[in-house]
Amino acid sequence: MSDIPVLELPESLTGSPADRALAAGMIDAWRTHGIFYLATGPAEQEIVRAAMSESRRFFALPFAEKARYVNDTTYSGYIASGEEVTAGEADHSEIFTVCKDIAGDDERSLSAWPAHGPVPWPGQAYERAMKAFMTQLGSMGERLLALAALGLGLDDPSALNALTADGWHHMRVLRFPAASDAGERGIGAHTDYGLLVIAAQDSAGGLWIRPPVSGEHRNRNWLGHESTAGMFENDEPWTYVPPVPGTLTVFPGDILQLLTGGHLLSTPHKVRLAADRERYSMAYFHEPAFQSWVEPLRHAFPDGGGAGADPENRLHYGTHFTRMFLRCYPDRMTTLRLLATGGLERLARLRESALPVERMAGRR
């Protein structure tokens, strides 16, 4: 039986002693285990069930049908097995990515902002189910960030939520084949590039995470000269995260590591395929706004992990997101169009015009 804790998220937060105890437990779970389970109620579980059902229905379609759902203005849409590479090796997952759904007549689309465009939805039922799931997890994400601010001892309880106003929230809907079809490797070891990851997995299992290890160096995936891909792939300790009915899993991404100077570490994870059984999961990324500047929190953490001494780590989120997807999908039509039409130059202008967010946290 896993010793990963199961936490319950209240519908609203008041800063009460109960909220503070929950916040402290959440931070402790991340610093000890790298992850925790989040309990859900019957209504939330029905939303998860409906989204999983639509995922299974879509991935059961013939390849030629699935491959139609792509768009050269956005990274939303279908990704075939083997198209994504981690640590130099093709992953076996097929994916439907759901980025922010930007209408074609939106000014950002008309101005050809990188990665901005409509989601190529494979039908109304799929769209409704995924939007309902993302709306639910978006609400959870905001409350989790408020708890994180409380648990980190930040003076401003809205410090982290300010970063995610109009956030570039997105999701990866995944199917993994059975191990007998493609070996054991589903996705290689890596950390996720974003802020906060909330995920649902079916009963097949296969998720493994690496908890924080005292004294262990962790690369900073947001920097161009460092990567977490493949780190510690075959080194212990790795922890199996068994499916627990009625729960989601929650872990920090690279941006929480950046913000806290390593007080919270981005959680390395990988997927091992189950024997003779497909695996379905949905990973939701609760993110800063595309035009946000992200920089270390001005805060003295208890372990001296404050990030203020590392100012070069400041990043423009839209640039960070775009570069990650360019790296993951160098041959995708979205990448080819972006490079051919001056998308990187346009991104540079957006970065220069973005107003840096107010320095967060620790304001006395």
Side-chain angles (χ1 to χ4, degrees):
M1 180 67 179
S2 171
D3 61 354
I4 298 170
V6 180
L7 304 181
E8 294 189 14
L9 184 63
E11 288 297 320
S12 61
L13 302 172
T14 63
S16 66
D19 288 347
R20 293 182 179 278
L22 175 60
M26 189 178 84
I27 298 300
D28 181 69
W30 279 339
R31 284 174 53 81
T32 302
H33 304 281
I35 196 169
F36 62 82
Y37 294 107
L38 185 64
T40 59
E44 296 163 329
Q45 291 165 26
E46 177 57 25
I47 290 173
V48 174
R49 187 208 62 78
M52 280 286 191
S53 177
E54 281 300 313
S55 172
R56 289 176 179 273
R57 184 194 62 78
F58 172 75
F59 285 125
L61 294 173
F63 172 76
E65 174 69 10
K66 292 181 286 191
R68 293 175 47 215
Y69 297 103
V70 294
N71 186 320
D72 67 0
T73 64
T74 173
Y75 283 101
S76 295
Y78 179 68
I79 299 163
S81 177
E83 185 177 348
E84 183 170 281
V85 174
T86 302
E89 188 174 345
D91 297 324
H92 291 298
S93 57
E94 349 175 41
I95 307 166
F96 193 97
T97 300
V98 182
C99 293
K100 203 173 185 73
D101 197 4
I102 308 293
D105 59 358
D106 186 284
E107 181 58 35
R108 293 166 293 181
S109 294
L110 295 173
S111 300
W113 284 29
H116 283 63
V119 176
W121 296 108
Q124 293 182 350
Y126 189 96
E127 178 181 359
R128 284 195 300 270
M130 296 308 167
K131 283 185 172 178
F133 180 75
M134 293 181 72
T135 297
Q136 171 181 285
L137 268 61
S139 171
M140 291 178 173
E142 288 300 291
R143 283 174 281 159
L144 288 166
L145 289 183
L147 282 170
L150 193 63
L152 291 169
L154 307 185
D155 291 337
D156 182 359
S158 66
L160 298 174
N161 299 100
L163 191 62
T164 58
D166 192 28
W168 191 254
H169 312 314
H170 56 281
M171 180 168 65
R172 290 158 57 83
V173 185
L174 302 106
R175 172 200 168 267
F176 299 87
S180 58
D181 296 333
E184 188 181 68
R185 185 185 192 275
I187 292 179
H190 66 288
T191 60
D192 283 335
Y193 50 82
L195 178 65
L196 183 67
V197 185
I198 311 173
Q201 62 172 329
D202 71 1
S203 60
L207 176 63
W208 293 76
I209 62 96
R210 187 175 185 85
V213 177
S214 179
E216 182 176 80
H217 172 72
R218 297 283 177 93
N219 280 353
R220 298 166 295 177
N221 200 40
W222 60 90
L223 297 180
H225 62 281
E226 294 187 20
S227 173
T228 61
M231 288 190 73
F232 318 113
E233 175 75 66
N234 299 311
D235 297 336
E236 292 301 329
W238 282 86
T239 301
Y240 177 56
V241 184
V244 174
T247 70
L248 304 168
T249 55
V250 185
F251 59 84
D254 294 339
I255 291 179
L256 266 177
Q257 181 173 325
L258 181 158
L259 288 168
T260 63
H263 184 72
L264 295 177
L265 293 175
S266 186
T267 300
H269 54 287
K270 59 186 176 182
V271 172
R272 295 178 182 170
L273 302 180
D276 302 317
R277 189 175 182 187
E278 296 179 322
R279 177 182 188 265
Y280 292 83
S281 65
M282 299 179 294
Y284 167 83
F285 297 74
H286 198 67
E287 300 293 85
F290 195 86
Q291 279 287 72
S292 286
W293 280 95
V294 183
E295 61 183 350
L297 296 165
R298 292 189 300 172
H299 182 76
F301 290 103
D303 60 355
D310 215 357
E312 71 273 15
N313 288 348
R314 183 170 177 266
L315 60 82
H316 175 250
Y317 178 78
T319 300
H320 174 65
F321 171 88
T322 304
R323 285 176 176 167
M324 288 291 174
F325 274 64
L326 287 171
R327 188 173 74 188
C328 287
Y329 307 112
D331 300 320
R332 193 169 179 83
M333 66 166 62
T334 316
T335 296
L336 299 178
R337 181 180 185 274
L338 190 153
L339 296 176
T341 59
L344 293 183
E345 292 79 6
R346 194 171 295 109
L347 183 63
R349 292 195 295 272
L350 287 171
R351 184 169 61 251
E352 291 167 2
S353 67
L355 293 175
V357 296
E358 182 180 4
R359 281 185 172 273
M360 297 193 309
R363 292 195 292 273
R364 301 289 178 182

